[in-house]
């Protein structure tokens, strides 16, 4: 999810469906019961990253009013400019890859070194599940010996992949997908002036509001529809797996695998719900494995990967024709 889809000023207030968490977050600040580490556990597209930014604004603003950052003080402005000395953001150097141990070591050094002006230090690690084992071990030390007034906000959409040693030291906050009403109301405000069927886009985005927003604002929807048409065509033997694998080389591999996953999932709970087919569930497992593989390895022959997956995909439907 690109950070540019939301203006920085939009981070001042949490997204409408995070209201309940926000209230308890504020209560805990007021009563000085904020934990040292919070793990925001949410599907990508629910807005955990956005919430982490809202939390950072709330903690680094020097002029908070009614639990909301002001957006005008030096704390808010330097955070917006990306120059706040007490804000640390760690993400993989390349999208979809791992967070490396050298990044975590550098983070720990910087957090200790910075001159704290009596306020909070905020660290965001996004996504926490992309830390490799060494990186996670390096982070453990700082989780075991927490610095005063430092909060770690870890974001994860695959909590099971995060080492137990890390998870057990965090307060885990699971953020759920908002109701269709709340999501479409929010999207309507964002899509003003655009010819778009909000409910349709929201459905394609599996109800995930920020993913739907990405589709409305970018070319994600068109790409995704093309891929779904190709998957459909292979189901009906109108396209061959090898040619489709070639055609799919132009899409980012991790996006492609997510599109296929969500398409297969929708098929299972929708069109094919009365024709249960174990092969489809095995195929889902393969996709999830492939996704993990893409995340952890640097040099994958994606042409071969797509070929293998698509040949299997076509075979699932062969017997039914
Ligand atoms: Zn402020």
């Amino acid at each position: 999810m690109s950070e540019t889809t939301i203006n920085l000023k939009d981070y001042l207030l949490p997204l409408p469906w995070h209201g309940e968490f926000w209230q308890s977050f504020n209560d805990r600040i007021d009563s000085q019961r904020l934990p040292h580490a919070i793990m925001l556990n949410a599907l990508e597209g629910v807005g955990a990253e956005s919430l982490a930014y809202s939390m950072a604004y709330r903690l680094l603003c020097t002029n908070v009013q009614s639990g909301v950052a002001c957006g005008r003080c030096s704390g808010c402005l330097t955070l917006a400019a990306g120059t706040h000395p007490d804000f640390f953001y760690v993400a993989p150097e390349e999208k979809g890859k791992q967070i490396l141990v050298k990044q975590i070591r550098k983070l720990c050094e910087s957090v200790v070194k910075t001159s704290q002006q009596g306020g909070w230090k905020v660290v965001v690690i996004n996504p926490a599940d992309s830390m490799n084992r060494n990186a996670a071990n390096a982070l453990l030390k700082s989780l075991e010996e927490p610095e005063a007034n430092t909060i770690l906000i870890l974001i994860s959409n695959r909590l099971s992949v995060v080492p137990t040693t890390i998870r057990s030291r965090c307060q885990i906050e699971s953020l759920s997908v908002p109701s269709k009403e709340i999501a479409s109301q929010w999207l309507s405000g964002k899509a003003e002036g655009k010819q778009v069927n909000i409910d349709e886009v929201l459905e394609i985005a599996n109800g995930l509001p920020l993913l739907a927003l990405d589709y409305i604002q970018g070319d994600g929807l068109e790409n995704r529809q093309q891929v779904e048409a190709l998957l459909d065509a292979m189901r009906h033997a109108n396209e061959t797996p090898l040619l489709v694998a070639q055609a799919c080389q132009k899409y980012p591999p991790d996006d492609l695998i997510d599109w296929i996953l969500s398409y297969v999932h929708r098929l299972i709970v929708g069109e094919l719900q009365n024709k249960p087919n174990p092969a489809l569930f095995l195929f889902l497992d393969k996709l999830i494995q492939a996704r993990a593989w893409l995340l952890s390895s640097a040099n994958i022959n994606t042409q071969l990967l797509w070929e293998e997956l698509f040949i299997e995909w076509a075979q699932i439907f062969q017997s039914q024709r």
Side-chain angles (χ1 to χ4, degrees):
M1 194 105 355
S2 58
E3 286 173 42
T4 48
T5 51
I6 296 179
N7 288 326
L8 274 178
K9 70 173 167 47
D10 288 347
Y11 290 129
L12 294 178
L13 273 176
L15 292 162
W17 52 92
H18 293 151
E20 202 177 315
F21 169 83
W22 191 251
Q23 183 61 48
S24 89
F25 176 63
N26 264 302
D27 290 348
R28 282 178 284 177
I29 296 174
D30 293 342
S31 56
Q32 299 181 334
R33 282 185 294 112
L34 212 53
H36 175 60
I38 293 183
M39 172 87 72
L40 299 177
N41 170 42
L43 292 173
E44 202 175 338
V46 168
E49 182 184 84
S50 171
L51 183 59
Y53 272 112
S54 301
M55 292 161 75
Y57 271 105
R58 169 66 184 83
L59 291 168
L60 297 173
C61 175
T62 56
N63 188 25
V64 174
Q65 279 152 10
S66 311
V68 176
C70 73
R72 292 183 303 273
C73 70
S74 67
C76 287
L77 293 177
T78 48
L79 182 54
T83 55
H84 198 296
D86 294 328
F87 179 73
F88 309 87
Y89 186 91
V90 183
E93 286 172 354
E94 204 183 324
K95 188 180 178 270
K97 298 298 176 201
Q98 293 185 329
I99 291 178
L100 307 172
V101 64
K102 64 174 183 185
Q103 290 177 271
I104 298 294
R105 286 207 185 111
K106 192 171 161 230
L107 166 78
C108 295
E109 280 167 25
S110 318
V111 172
V112 174
K113 252 190 266 170
T114 54
S115 65
Q116 194 178 322
Q117 291 135 12
W120 284 94
K121 293 184 193 183
V122 181
V123 176
V124 176
I125 299 181
N126 182 23
D129 47 63
S130 71
M131 282 188 288
N132 66 22
R133 187 197 296 258
N134 289 341
N137 283 339
L139 183 70
L140 265 184
K141 195 173 172 309
S142 76
L143 281 170
E144 275 160 359
E145 299 161 20
E147 272 207 65
N149 279 14
T150 300
I151 181 166
L152 254 87
I153 303 172
L154 293 93
I155 296 176
S156 174
N157 53 38
R158 296 181 309 142
L159 198 55
S160 60
V161 180
V162 179
T164 321
T165 42
I166 299 276
R167 263 186 285 159
S168 62
R169 284 166 176 81
C170 299
Q171 187 159 329
I172 295 174
E173 297 284 349
S174 292
L175 310 169
S176 43
V177 178
S179 72
K180 212 170 142 187
E181 290 72 32
I182 291 179
S184 67
Q185 195 182 15
W186 178 77
L187 280 169
S188 306
K190 299 277 164 195
E192 264 172 27
K194 295 212 178 212
Q195 292 292 328
V196 55
N197 182 334
I198 301 255
D199 289 341
E200 200 178 285
V201 178
L202 199 54
E203 197 180 321
I204 294 175
N206 289 331
L208 299 163
L210 273 80
L211 185 59
L213 183 63
D214 254 10
Y215 288 161
I216 291 170
Q217 293 178 333
D219 52 11
L221 186 61
E222 203 178 312
N223 286 342
R224 187 174 176 145
Q225 282 170 331
Q226 280 168 7
V227 168
E228 294 196 349
L230 288 170
L231 291 168
D232 256 339
M234 283 188 287
R235 270 176 70 192
H236 301 104
N238 295 329
E239 284 280 3
T240 66
L242 298 194
L243 286 179
V244 174
Q246 230 161 43
C248 283
Q249 285 298 327
K250 65 176 173 178
Y251 304 113
D254 43 346
D255 282 348
L256 181 62
I257 207 114
D258 281 347
W259 298 338
I260 304 173
L261 265 169
S262 114
Y263 172 83
V264 176
H265 185 73
R266 254 188 300 134
L267 213 57
I268 289 174
V269 298
E271 195 185 325
L272 300 180
Q273 64 169 319
N274 297 323
K275 300 181 204 163
N277 183 345
L280 273 177
F281 291 95
L282 289 175
F283 187 71
L284 266 187
D285 284 344
K286 275 228 162 121
L287 286 171
I288 292 165
Q289 269 172 28
R291 192 179 191 273
W293 194 36
L294 277 171
L295 193 77
S296 62
S297 314
N299 298 311
I300 288 182
N301 183 332
T302 48
Q303 173 71 25
L304 283 181
L305 176 65
W306 306 138
E307 279 178 16
E308 196 189 314
L309 285 171
F310 293 157
I311 287 171
E312 185 167 335
W313 172 249
Q315 276 169 354
I316 294 174
F317 301 96
Q318 224 165 35
S319 51
Q320 296 170 9
R321 280 194 295 270

